[in-house]
Amino acid sequence: MSRSSMPRKGWLAHYRELFGIWRRKNLHDGEDAIQDAVVKMLENGLGGVDDPRAYLSRSTANGLIDRHRRRTLLEFRPWDDLDEDEHPSVEDGQASIFTAELLDALMVALQELPLACQKVYIRHRIEGWTHAEIARDLGVSRSMVEKHMNRALLHIHERLQKYSPY
């Protein structure tokens, strides 16, 4: 039977089937990941999806992987959310030297990244742009922005590890 003559199940039937599978495998994250995949599919339009079951299955798996990766990254807390005693500190006489070294190390780490990763990191972390705004500006998908950001964060984390007090 050719692909075009095969009966096509609606995406909702695949959703129900996959929802049950992923829910059994990974209760909360599985439910969230498949719901995120459906939302993304509906936002992008159903016309571009040839095989809804494969799309939902792959998108859900990717979503679970992304969730796991986010959990394994170093926790980020804005400076303003830290209590006074949690602020990183060095001896008073060395503070400016330490700060200059850290800034230099950050600049070197950023320059080691591809230009797209640099732009994403700077626009998001320094200029405060959202991932959607960056995606529109660069003409790439939001997923690509997230991949660039993850790559930048991992690289910077590795390069600045020696400056961490922990």
Side-chain angles (χ1 to χ4, degrees), residues 14-166:
H14 298 299
Y15 170 80
R16 287 185 187 121
E17 172 190 352
L18 292 170
F19 185 84
I21 292 169
W22 285 109
R23 195 169 124 188
R24 282 190 301 275
K25 288 183 178 181
N26 190 330
L27 182 61
H28 298 295
D29 285 343
E31 289 177 4
D32 290 344
I34 193 155
Q35 289 173 5
D36 290 345
V38 168
V39 167
K40 196 179 298 183
M41 181 178 69
L42 293 174
E43 286 176 347
N44 293 332
L46 294 172
V49 178
D50 291 333
D51 186 350
R53 186 183 195 293
Y55 177 88
L56 290 173
S57 181
R58 175 62 15 214
S59 293
T60 302
N62 289 344
L64 286 169
I65 291 168
D66 289 344
R67 287 169 192 279
H68 173 72
R69 285 180 181 157
R70 277 188 225 116
R71 283 191 190 116
T72 59
L73 289 176
L74 187 63
E75 181 183 333
F76 172 77
R77 287 179 42 201
W79 183 269
D80 297 337
D81 290 351
L82 296 175
D83 293 331
E84 188 68 33
D85 62 330
E86 292 180 304
H87 287 208
S89 63
V90 293
E91 298 299 318
D92 289 337
Q94 296 177 335
S96 62
I97 295 170
F98 179 80
T99 303
E101 285 179 12
L102 182 58
L103 182 59
D104 288 344
L106 175 62
M107 294 306 294
V108 168
L110 277 173
Q111 290 170 354
E112 292 172 346
L113 289 166
L115 185 58
C117 291
Q118 291 176 31
K119 287 180 180 180
V120 168
Y121 181 85
I122 290 169
R123 288 179 182 164
H124 184 66
R125 286 293 170 100
I126 297 173
E127 297 174 359
W129 293 29
T130 66
H131 285 188
E133 291 169 333
I134 297 168
R136 275 192 302 275
D137 185 63
L138 296 180
V140 297
S141 69
R142 186 170 173 190
S143 173
M144 184 56 67
V145 170
E146 291 170 359
K147 289 175 185 172
H148 288 317
M149 189 65 186
N150 283 338
R151 181 175 179 183
L153 290 173
L154 287 171
H155 180 74
I156 290 169
H157 174 70
E158 289 173 5
R159 294 294 189 250
L160 301 183
Q161 189 65 42
K162 71 179 184 178
Y163 296 96
S164 174
Y166 305 107

